[in-house]
mmCIF file of all heavy atoms in Angstrom:
data_model
loop_
_atom_site.group_PDB
_atom_site.id
_atom_site.type_symbol
_atom_site.label_atom_id
_atom_site.label_comp_id
_atom_site.label_asym_id
_atom_site.label_seq_id
_atom_site.Cartn_x
_atom_site.Cartn_y
_atom_site.Cartn_z
ATOM 1 N N MET A 68 155.231 105.011 141.493
ATOM 2 C CA MET A 68 153.928 105.594 141.165
ATOM 3 C C MET A 68 153.635 105.411 139.668
ATOM 4 O O MET A 68 152.640 104.846 139.275
ATOM 5 C CB MET A 68 153.939 107.089 141.542
ATOM 6 C CG MET A 68 152.594 107.745 141.393
ATOM 7 S SD MET A 68 151.465 107.248 142.709
ATOM 8 C CE MET A 68 150.172 108.430 142.501
ATOM 9 N N THR A 69 154.579 105.867 138.881
ATOM 10 C CA THR A 69 154.380 105.738 137.434
ATOM 11 C C THR A 69 154.321 104.266 137.030
ATOM 12 O O THR A 69 153.501 103.877 136.203
ATOM 13 C CB THR A 69 155.524 106.440 136.682
ATOM 14 O OG1 THR A 69 155.612 107.778 137.161
ATOM 15 C CG2 THR A 69 155.248 106.455 135.203
ATOM 16 N N THR A 70 155.170 103.463 137.650
ATOM 17 C CA THR A 70 155.196 102.035 137.313
ATOM 18 C C THR A 70 153.857 101.381 137.660
ATOM 19 O O THR A 70 153.341 100.570 136.896
ATOM 20 C CB THR A 70 156.328 101.334 138.088
ATOM 21 O OG1 THR A 70 157.541 102.017 137.831
ATOM 22 C CG2 THR A 70 156.440 99.888 137.665
ATOM 23 N N GLN A 71 153.289 101.765 138.806
ATOM 24 C CA GLN A 71 152.013 101.178 139.197
ATOM 25 C C GLN A 71 150.915 101.539 138.192
ATOM 26 O O GLN A 71 150.111 100.696 137.818
ATOM 27 C CB GLN A 71 151.615 101.684 140.591
ATOM 28 C CG GLN A 71 152.455 101.044 141.701
ATOM 29 C CD GLN A 71 152.150 101.620 143.061
ATOM 30 O OE1 GLN A 71 151.488 102.651 143.149
ATOM 31 N NE2 GLN A 71 152.621 100.976 144.107
ATOM 32 N N VAL A 72 150.944 102.790 137.746
ATOM 33 C CA VAL A 72 149.925 103.211 136.775
ATOM 34 C C VAL A 72 150.094 102.422 135.478
ATOM 35 O O VAL A 72 149.127 101.928 134.916
ATOM 36 C CB VAL A 72 150.048 104.734 136.502
ATOM 37 C CG1 VAL A 72 149.158 105.120 135.333
ATOM 38 C CG2 VAL A 72 149.657 105.515 137.749
ATOM 39 N N GLN A 73 151.367 102.258 135.058
ATOM 40 C CA GLN A 73 151.595 101.522 133.815
ATOM 41 C C GLN A 73 151.166 100.064 133.966
ATOM 42 O O GLN A 73 150.590 99.492 133.044
ATOM 43 C CB GLN A 73 153.079 101.595 133.444
ATOM 44 C CG GLN A 73 153.461 102.955 132.877
ATOM 45 C CD GLN A 73 154.948 103.071 132.637
ATOM 46 O OE1 GLN A 73 155.708 102.254 133.123
ATOM 47 N NE2 GLN A 73 155.346 104.090 131.895
ATOM 48 N N THR A 74 151.437 99.488 135.141
ATOM 49 C CA THR A 74 151.057 98.095 135.353
ATOM 50 C C THR A 74 149.543 97.930 135.309
ATOM 51 O O THR A 74 149.017 97.029 134.660
ATOM 52 C CB THR A 74 151.593 97.604 136.710
ATOM 53 O OG1 THR A 74 152.990 97.782 136.726
ATOM 54 C CG2 THR A 74 151.264 96.150 136.928
ATOM 55 N N ALA A 75 148.838 98.855 135.982
ATOM 56 C CA ALA A 75 147.383 98.780 135.975
ATOM 57 C C ALA A 75 146.854 98.926 134.555
ATOM 58 O O ALA A 75 145.952 98.210 134.124
ATOM 59 C CB ALA A 75 146.804 99.850 136.884
ATOM 60 N N SER A 76 147.448 99.858 133.803
ATOM 61 C CA SER A 76 147.015 100.077 132.430
ATOM 62 C C SER A 76 147.283 98.846 131.579
ATOM 63 O O SER A 76 146.443 98.426 130.792
ATOM 64 C CB SER A 76 147.743 101.293 131.858
ATOM 65 O OG SER A 76 147.416 101.431 130.508
ATOM 66 N N ALA A 77 148.460 98.236 131.776
ATOM 67 C CA ALA A 77 148.808 97.065 130.974
ATOM 68 C C ALA A 77 147.863 95.903 131.282
ATOM 69 O O ALA A 77 147.410 95.207 130.384
ATOM 70 C CB ALA A 77 150.249 96.665 131.248
ATOM 71 N N SER A 78 147.534 95.699 132.567
ATOM 72 C CA SER A 78 146.666 94.579 132.893
ATOM 73 C C SER A 78 145.250 94.841 132.385
ATOM 74 O O SER A 78 144.552 93.933 131.984
ATOM 75 C CB SER A 78 146.664 94.330 134.392
ATOM 76 O OG SER A 78 145.841 95.261 135.043
ATOM 77 N N ARG A 79 144.853 96.127 132.396
ATOM 78 C CA ARG A 79 143.529 96.436 131.840
ATOM 79 C C ARG A 79 143.515 96.120 130.344
ATOM 80 O O ARG A 79 142.551 95.576 129.818
ATOM 81 C CB ARG A 79 143.191 97.911 132.080
ATOM 82 C CG ARG A 79 141.712 98.194 131.970
ATOM 83 C CD ARG A 79 141.403 99.652 132.282
ATOM 84 N NE ARG A 79 142.016 100.095 133.525
ATOM 85 C CZ ARG A 79 142.638 101.260 133.685
ATOM 86 N NH1 ARG A 79 142.734 102.099 132.674
ATOM 87 N NH2 ARG A 79 143.153 101.588 134.826
ATOM 88 N N ALA A 80 144.615 96.461 129.651
ATOM 89 C CA ALA A 80 144.701 96.151 128.226
ATOM 90 C C ALA A 80 144.679 94.643 128.009
ATOM 91 O O ALA A 80 144.077 94.151 127.060
ATOM 92 C CB ALA A 80 145.966 96.760 127.638
ATOM 93 N N GLY A 81 145.330 93.907 128.918
ATOM 94 C CA GLY A 81 145.326 92.454 128.787
ATOM 95 C C GLY A 81 143.933 91.885 128.952
ATOM 96 O O GLY A 81 143.526 90.996 128.215
ATOM 97 N N ILE A 82 143.187 92.433 129.916
ATOM 98 C CA ILE A 82 141.812 91.969 130.117
ATOM 99 C C ILE A 82 140.969 92.297 128.902
ATOM 100 O O ILE A 82 140.182 91.470 128.431
ATOM 101 C CB ILE A 82 141.221 92.615 131.386
ATOM 102 C CG1 ILE A 82 141.926 92.048 132.626
ATOM 103 C CG2 ILE A 82 139.715 92.379 131.472
ATOM 104 C CD1 ILE A 82 141.551 92.762 133.904
ATOM 105 N N LEU A 83 141.170 93.504 128.352
ATOM 106 C CA LEU A 83 140.405 93.885 127.165
ATOM 107 C C LEU A 83 140.736 92.955 126.001
ATOM 108 O O LEU A 83 139.852 92.526 125.273
ATOM 109 C CB LEU A 83 140.717 95.335 126.792
ATOM 110 C CG LEU A 83 139.925 96.377 127.568
ATOM 111 C CD1 LEU A 83 140.357 97.781 127.143
ATOM 112 C CD2 LEU A 83 138.431 96.205 127.326
ATOM 113 N N SER A 84 142.031 92.626 125.836
ATOM 114 C CA SER A 84 142.400 91.717 124.753
ATOM 115 C C SER A 84 141.773 90.360 124.958
ATOM 116 O O SER A 84 141.295 89.745 124.013
ATOM 117 C CB SER A 84 143.914 91.549 124.673
ATOM 118 O OG SER A 84 144.549 92.702 125.036
ATOM 119 N N ALA A 85 141.786 89.883 126.202
ATOM 120 C CA ALA A 85 141.198 88.573 126.483
ATOM 121 C C ALA A 85 139.697 88.599 126.198
ATOM 122 O O ALA A 85 139.165 87.675 125.571
ATOM 123 C CB ALA A 85 141.448 88.190 127.934
ATOM 124 N N LEU A 86 139.030 89.673 126.638
ATOM 125 C CA LEU A 86 137.591 89.758 126.379
ATOM 126 C C LEU A 86 137.326 89.814 124.879
ATOM 127 O O LEU A 86 136.396 89.184 124.373
ATOM 128 C CB LEU A 86 137.019 91.011 127.052
ATOM 129 C CG LEU A 86 136.851 90.904 128.570
ATOM 130 C CD1 LEU A 86 136.360 92.227 129.135
ATOM 131 C CD2 LEU A 86 135.882 89.788 128.916
ATOM 132 N N PHE A 87 138.170 90.563 124.157
ATOM 133 C CA PHE A 87 137.993 90.655 122.707
ATOM 134 C C PHE A 87 138.184 89.287 122.063
ATOM 135 O O PHE A 87 137.412 88.888 121.191
ATOM 136 C CB PHE A 87 138.979 91.666 122.128
ATOM 137 C CG PHE A 87 138.877 91.814 120.644
ATOM 138 C CD1 PHE A 87 137.814 92.515 120.083
ATOM 139 C CD2 PHE A 87 139.823 91.245 119.815
ATOM 140 C CE1 PHE A 87 137.715 92.654 118.715
ATOM 141 C CE2 PHE A 87 139.733 91.377 118.444
ATOM 142 C CZ PHE A 87 138.674 92.083 117.898
ATOM 143 N N ALA A 88 139.213 88.560 122.513
ATOM 144 C CA ALA A 88 139.471 87.232 121.954
ATOM 145 C C ALA A 88 138.299 86.292 122.243
ATOM 146 O O ALA A 88 137.883 85.516 121.374
ATOM 147 C CB ALA A 88 140.762 86.671 122.531
ATOM 148 N N ILE A 89 137.772 86.364 123.465
ATOM 149 C CA ILE A 89 136.635 85.507 123.831
ATOM 150 C C ILE A 89 135.421 85.854 122.973
ATOM 151 O O ILE A 89 134.745 84.973 122.428
ATOM 152 C CB ILE A 89 136.312 85.659 125.322
ATOM 153 C CG1 ILE A 89 137.430 85.032 126.159
ATOM 154 C CG2 ILE A 89 134.971 85.022 125.653
ATOM 155 C CD1 ILE A 89 137.326 85.347 127.634
ATOM 156 N N ALA A 90 135.157 87.170 122.832
ATOM 157 C CA ALA A 90 134.007 87.591 122.029
ATOM 158 C C ALA A 90 134.180 87.148 120.580
ATOM 159 O O ALA A 90 133.241 86.668 119.944
ATOM 160 C CB ALA A 90 133.842 89.105 122.102
ATOM 161 N N LEU A 91 135.404 87.280 120.075
ATOM 162 C CA LEU A 91 135.664 86.882 118.693
ATOM 163 C C LEU A 91 135.463 85.378 118.528
ATOM 164 O O LEU A 91 134.830 84.924 117.574
ATOM 165 C CB LEU A 91 137.098 87.276 118.322
ATOM 166 C CG LEU A 91 137.464 87.151 116.849
ATOM 167 C CD1 LEU A 91 136.651 88.131 116.019
ATOM 168 C CD2 LEU A 91 138.947 87.392 116.663
ATOM 169 N N GLY A 92 135.983 84.601 119.477
ATOM 170 C CA GLY A 92 135.836 83.160 119.397
ATOM 171 C C GLY A 92 134.388 82.734 119.464
ATOM 172 O O GLY A 92 133.936 81.902 118.670
ATOM 173 N N LEU A 93 133.650 83.308 120.412
ATOM 174 C CA LEU A 93 132.235 82.958 120.529
ATOM 175 C C LEU A 93 131.491 83.377 119.268
ATOM 176 O O LEU A 93 130.591 82.664 118.802
ATOM 177 C CB LEU A 93 131.628 83.650 121.744
ATOM 178 C CG LEU A 93 132.029 83.048 123.099
ATOM 179 C CD1 LEU A 93 131.409 83.859 124.221
ATOM 180 C CD2 LEU A 93 131.579 81.598 123.188
ATOM 181 N N GLY A 94 131.869 84.528 118.702
ATOM 182 C CA GLY A 94 131.227 84.990 117.470
ATOM 183 C C GLY A 94 131.467 84.019 116.335
ATOM 184 O O GLY A 94 130.552 83.684 115.585
ATOM 185 N N ILE A 95 132.712 83.549 116.220
ATOM 186 C CA ILE A 95 133.036 82.604 115.143
ATOM 187 C C ILE A 95 132.276 81.297 115.345
ATOM 188 O O ILE A 95 131.710 80.740 114.397
ATOM 189 C CB ILE A 95 134.557 82.354 115.110
ATOM 190 C CG1 ILE A 95 135.267 83.602 114.602
ATOM 191 C CG2 ILE A 95 134.882 81.151 114.233
ATOM 192 C CD1 ILE A 95 136.773 83.516 114.678
ATOM 193 N N ILE A 96 132.241 80.823 116.589
ATOM 194 C CA ILE A 96 131.538 79.568 116.859
ATOM 195 C C ILE A 96 130.049 79.719 116.557
ATOM 196 O O ILE A 96 129.432 78.854 115.922
ATOM 197 C CB ILE A 96 131.753 79.152 118.329
ATOM 198 C CG1 ILE A 96 133.205 78.713 118.531
ATOM 199 C CG2 ILE A 96 130.789 78.028 118.717
ATOM 200 C CD1 ILE A 96 133.573 78.479 119.978
ATOM 201 N N THR A 97 129.458 80.846 116.999
ATOM 202 C CA THR A 97 128.043 81.081 116.733
ATOM 203 C C THR A 97 127.787 81.185 115.236
ATOM 204 O O THR A 97 126.831 80.613 114.706
ATOM 205 C CB THR A 97 127.592 82.371 117.427
ATOM 206 O OG1 THR A 97 127.908 82.276 118.814
ATOM 207 C CG2 THR A 97 126.099 82.595 117.257
ATOM 208 N N LEU A 98 128.679 81.897 114.546
ATOM 209 C CA LEU A 98 128.513 82.090 113.107
ATOM 210 C C LEU A 98 128.586 80.749 112.388
ATOM 211 O O LEU A 98 127.718 80.414 111.585
ATOM 212 C CB LEU A 98 129.616 83.032 112.599
ATOM 213 C CG LEU A 98 129.402 83.604 111.204
ATOM 214 C CD1 LEU A 98 128.253 84.602 111.225
ATOM 215 C CD2 LEU A 98 130.676 84.281 110.729
ATOM 216 N N THR A 99 129.613 79.974 112.689
ATOM 217 C CA THR A 99 129.774 78.696 112.002
ATOM 218 C C THR A 99 128.658 77.724 112.365
ATOM 219 O O THR A 99 128.339 76.830 111.589
ATOM 220 C CB THR A 99 131.132 78.053 112.344
ATOM 221 O OG1 THR A 99 131.240 77.962 113.761
ATOM 222 C CG2 THR A 99 132.269 78.871 111.791
ATOM 223 N N GLY A 100 128.066 77.907 113.540
ATOM 224 C CA GLY A 100 126.968 77.041 113.916
ATOM 225 C C GLY A 100 125.705 77.327 113.130
ATOM 226 O O GLY A 100 124.856 76.448 112.983
ATOM 227 N N HIS A 101 125.574 78.573 112.650
ATOM 228 C CA HIS A 101 124.350 78.943 111.947
ATOM 229 C C HIS A 101 124.499 78.944 110.431
ATOM 230 O O HIS A 101 123.511 78.976 109.716
ATOM 231 C CB HIS A 101 123.873 80.324 112.411
ATOM 232 C CG HIS A 101 123.295 80.299 113.797
ATOM 233 N ND1 HIS A 101 124.039 80.601 114.912
ATOM 234 C CD2 HIS A 101 122.068 79.978 114.248
ATOM 235 C CE1 HIS A 101 123.282 80.478 115.977
ATOM 236 N NE2 HIS A 101 122.084 80.095 115.622
ATOM 237 N N VAL A 102 125.750 78.956 109.961
ATOM 238 C CA VAL A 102 125.946 78.933 108.510
ATOM 239 C C VAL A 102 125.740 77.510 108.012
ATOM 240 O O VAL A 102 126.050 76.544 108.702
ATOM 241 C CB VAL A 102 127.368 79.429 108.181
ATOM 242 C CG1 VAL A 102 127.698 79.200 106.721
ATOM 243 C CG2 VAL A 102 127.501 80.900 108.520
ATOM 244 N N GLN A 103 125.207 77.388 106.817
ATOM 245 C CA GLN A 103 124.983 76.062 106.266
ATOM 246 C C GLN A 103 126.314 75.374 105.986
ATOM 247 O O GLN A 103 127.308 76.017 105.656
ATOM 248 C CB GLN A 103 124.181 76.169 104.968
ATOM 249 C CG GLN A 103 122.759 76.648 105.212
ATOM 250 C CD GLN A 103 121.895 76.508 103.985
ATOM 251 O OE1 GLN A 103 122.419 76.233 102.907
ATOM 252 N NE2 GLN A 103 120.601 76.702 104.143
ATOM 253 N N ALA A 104 126.323 74.079 106.110
ATOM 254 C CA ALA A 104 127.571 73.314 106.048
ATOM 255 C C ALA A 104 128.271 73.497 104.702
ATOM 256 O O ALA A 104 129.496 73.583 104.658
ATOM 257 C CB ALA A 104 127.270 71.839 106.290
ATOM 258 N N ALA A 105 127.511 73.582 103.614
ATOM 259 C CA ALA A 105 128.134 73.701 102.302
ATOM 260 C C ALA A 105 128.866 75.031 102.182
ATOM 261 O O ALA A 105 130.005 75.077 101.697
ATOM 262 C CB ALA A 105 127.069 73.573 101.219
ATOM 263 N N ALA A 106 128.211 76.107 102.610
ATOM 264 C CA ALA A 106 128.847 77.420 102.542
ATOM 265 C C ALA A 106 130.082 77.459 103.429
ATOM 266 O O ALA A 106 131.117 78.010 103.044
ATOM 267 C CB ALA A 106 127.851 78.506 102.978
ATOM 268 N N LEU A 107 129.980 76.858 104.587
ATOM 269 C CA LEU A 107 131.117 76.817 105.514
ATOM 270 C C LEU A 107 132.271 76.030 104.900
ATOM 271 O O LEU A 107 133.421 76.443 104.944
ATOM 272 C CB LEU A 107 130.665 76.174 106.820
ATOM 273 C CG LEU A 107 131.676 76.226 107.960
ATOM 274 C CD1 LEU A 107 131.955 77.664 108.324
ATOM 275 C CD2 LEU A 107 131.139 75.475 109.152
ATOM 276 N N HIS A 108 131.943 74.913 104.274
ATOM 277 C CA HIS A 108 132.979 74.087 103.660
ATOM 278 C C HIS A 108 133.656 74.841 102.528
ATOM 279 O O HIS A 108 134.882 74.809 102.403
ATOM 280 C CB HIS A 108 132.359 72.781 103.146
ATOM 281 C CG HIS A 108 133.325 71.963 102.350
ATOM 282 N ND1 HIS A 108 133.384 72.010 100.980
ATOM 283 C CD2 HIS A 108 134.312 71.111 102.743
ATOM 284 C CE1 HIS A 108 134.343 71.200 100.559
ATOM 285 N NE2 HIS A 108 134.923 70.646 101.607
ATOM 286 N N ASP A 109 132.867 75.535 101.708
ATOM 287 C CA ASP A 109 133.451 76.292 100.610
ATOM 288 C C ASP A 109 134.376 77.370 101.131
ATOM 289 O O ASP A 109 135.474 77.578 100.600
ATOM 290 C CB ASP A 109 132.329 76.922 99.773
ATOM 291 C CG ASP A 109 131.603 75.857 98.958
ATOM 292 O OD1 ASP A 109 132.114 74.718 98.882
ATOM 293 O OD2 ASP A 109 130.532 76.166 98.413
ATOM 294 N N ALA A 110 133.937 78.079 102.179
ATOM 295 C CA ALA A 110 134.760 79.140 102.741
ATOM 296 C C ALA A 110 136.049 78.575 103.312
ATOM 297 O O ALA A 110 137.142 79.102 103.065
ATOM 298 C CB ALA A 110 133.974 79.883 103.822
ATOM 299 N N ALA A 111 135.941 77.495 104.054
ATOM 300 C CA ALA A 111 137.138 76.882 104.633
ATOM 301 C C ALA A 111 138.056 76.387 103.532
ATOM 302 O O ALA A 111 139.273 76.491 103.617
ATOM 303 C CB ALA A 111 136.734 75.730 105.548
ATOM 304 N N HIS A 112 137.475 75.864 102.471
ATOM 305 C CA HIS A 112 138.244 75.361 101.349
ATOM 306 C C HIS A 112 139.026 76.488 100.680
ATOM 307 O O HIS A 112 140.207 76.347 100.372
ATOM 308 C CB HIS A 112 137.272 74.722 100.358
ATOM 309 C CG HIS A 112 137.930 73.808 99.372
ATOM 310 N ND1 HIS A 112 137.243 73.065 98.460
ATOM 311 C CD2 HIS A 112 139.233 73.513 99.160
ATOM 312 C CE1 HIS A 112 138.078 72.368 97.722
ATOM 313 N NE2 HIS A 112 139.305 72.626 98.125
ATOM 314 N N ASP A 113 138.346 77.630 100.467
ATOM 315 C CA ASP A 113 139.014 78.769 99.855
ATOM 316 C C ASP A 113 140.153 79.253 100.730
ATOM 317 O O ASP A 113 141.237 79.554 100.237
ATOM 318 C CB ASP A 113 138.004 79.903 99.631
ATOM 319 C CG ASP A 113 137.032 79.555 98.513
ATOM 320 O OD1 ASP A 113 137.307 78.583 97.774
ATOM 321 O OD2 ASP A 113 136.014 80.256 98.391
ATOM 322 N N VAL A 114 139.913 79.331 102.035
ATOM 323 C CA VAL A 114 140.966 79.788 102.952
ATOM 324 C C VAL A 114 142.138 78.823 102.917
ATOM 325 O O VAL A 114 143.295 79.222 102.918
ATOM 326 C CB VAL A 114 140.406 79.922 104.381
ATOM 327 C CG1 VAL A 114 141.543 80.148 105.375
ATOM 328 C CG2 VAL A 114 139.388 81.048 104.439
ATOM 329 N N ARG A 115 141.835 77.546 102.867
ATOM 330 C CA ARG A 115 142.902 76.540 102.840
ATOM 331 C C ARG A 115 143.769 76.729 101.598
ATOM 332 O O ARG A 115 144.995 76.670 101.668
ATOM 333 C CB ARG A 115 142.277 75.142 102.843
ATOM 334 C CG ARG A 115 143.157 74.104 103.489
ATOM 335 C CD ARG A 115 142.472 72.756 103.503
ATOM 336 N NE ARG A 115 141.147 72.804 104.094
ATOM 337 C CZ ARG A 115 140.172 71.966 103.796
ATOM 338 N NH1 ARG A 115 140.354 71.023 102.897
ATOM 339 N NH2 ARG A 115 139.010 72.077 104.390
ATOM 340 N N HIS A 116 143.138 76.967 100.431
ATOM 341 C CA HIS A 116 143.912 77.172 99.220
ATOM 342 C C HIS A 116 144.685 78.473 99.291
ATOM 343 O O HIS A 116 145.843 78.546 98.878
ATOM 344 C CB HIS A 116 142.980 77.185 98.001
ATOM 345 C CG HIS A 116 142.649 75.809 97.517
ATOM 346 N ND1 HIS A 116 143.347 75.179 96.530
ATOM 347 C CD2 HIS A 116 141.687 74.947 97.917
ATOM 348 C CE1 HIS A 116 142.830 73.974 96.322
ATOM 349 N NE2 HIS A 116 141.815 73.808 97.156
ATOM 350 N N ALA A 117 144.035 79.523 99.817
ATOM 351 C CA ALA A 117 144.666 80.845 99.853
ATOM 352 C C ALA A 117 145.882 80.850 100.762
ATOM 353 O O ALA A 117 146.835 81.587 100.514
ATOM 354 C CB ALA A 117 143.650 81.891 100.319
ATOM 355 N N THR A 118 145.847 80.040 101.824
ATOM 356 C CA THR A 118 146.968 80.041 102.757
ATOM 357 C C THR A 118 148.001 78.992 102.402
ATOM 358 O O THR A 118 148.997 78.864 103.093
ATOM 359 C CB THR A 118 146.459 79.781 104.194
ATOM 360 O OG1 THR A 118 145.634 78.633 104.207
ATOM 361 C CG2 THR A 118 145.665 80.975 104.703
ATOM 362 N N GLY A 119 147.762 78.229 101.309
ATOM 363 C CA GLY A 119 148.783 77.319 100.811
ATOM 364 C C GLY A 119 148.816 75.974 101.490
ATOM 365 O O GLY A 119 149.789 75.232 101.340
ATOM 366 N N PHE A 120 147.752 75.639 102.268
ATOM 367 C CA PHE A 120 147.731 74.318 102.873
ATOM 368 C C PHE A 120 147.443 73.270 101.795
ATOM 369 O O PHE A 120 146.669 73.520 100.878
ATOM 370 C CB PHE A 120 146.651 74.236 103.947
ATOM 371 C CG PHE A 120 147.104 74.722 105.282
ATOM 372 C CD1 PHE A 120 146.885 76.030 105.656
ATOM 373 C CD2 PHE A 120 147.768 73.877 106.153
ATOM 374 C CE1 PHE A 120 147.312 76.501 106.882
ATOM 375 C CE2 PHE A 120 148.201 74.329 107.376
ATOM 376 C CZ PHE A 120 147.976 75.644 107.743
ATOM 377 N N PRO A 121 148.053 72.102 101.896
ATOM 378 C CA PRO A 121 147.736 71.031 100.943
ATOM 379 C C PRO A 121 146.284 70.602 101.103
ATOM 380 O O PRO A 121 145.789 70.482 102.221
ATOM 381 C CB PRO A 121 148.698 69.900 101.334
ATOM 382 C CG PRO A 121 149.107 70.187 102.727
ATOM 383 C CD PRO A 121 149.038 71.675 102.891
ATOM 384 N N CYS A 122 145.621 70.379 100.003
ATOM 385 C CA CYS A 122 144.189 70.109 100.068
ATOM 386 C C CYS A 122 143.858 68.872 99.263
ATOM 387 O O CYS A 122 143.592 67.822 99.804
ATOM 388 C CB CYS A 122 143.434 71.325 99.550
ATOM 389 S SG CYS A 122 141.659 71.107 99.592
ATOM 390 N N HIS A 123 143.890 68.978 97.932
ATOM 391 C CA HIS A 123 143.553 67.835 97.112
ATOM 392 C C HIS A 123 144.413 67.828 95.863
ATOM 393 O O HIS A 123 145.210 68.719 95.663
ATOM 394 C CB HIS A 123 142.070 67.846 96.731
ATOM 395 C CG HIS A 123 141.614 69.150 96.177
ATOM 396 N ND1 HIS A 123 141.774 69.539 94.890
ATOM 397 C CD2 HIS A 123 141.011 70.193 96.795
ATOM 398 C CE1 HIS A 123 141.276 70.748 94.708
ATOM 399 N NE2 HIS A 123 140.823 71.182 95.853
HETATM 400 ZN ZN1 ZN B 110 140.957 72.261 97.598
#
């Protein structure tokens, strides 16, 4: 009984996480689609430097 409740709760949490991930991904795609390319490039460039990826 308790195990079934925990399983149902865990799968509900998994669905919520998946929905959150999908919403986040769609949000990022929509955002990057509407932001101007120069601003997007600058932001990506800053993130690349901040995370230590080789750049130029
Ligand atoms: Zn750079």
Side-chain angles (χ1 to χ4, degrees):
M68 187 74 167
T69 306
T70 306
Q71 286 175 347
V72 170
Q73 285 174 346
T74 303
S76 175
S78 78
R79 199 177 310 137
I82 291 172
L83 277 178
S84 327
L86 284 177
F87 179 75
I89 290 170
L91 190 65
L93 286 178
I95 289 173
I96 290 172
T97 305
L98 194 70
T99 54
H101 287 95
V102 170
Q103 292 191 350
L107 188 62
H108 173 264
D109 288 348
H112 198 175
D113 289 347
V114 170
R115 209 178 307 153
H116 277 266
T118 51
F120 275 94
C122 180
H123 50 82

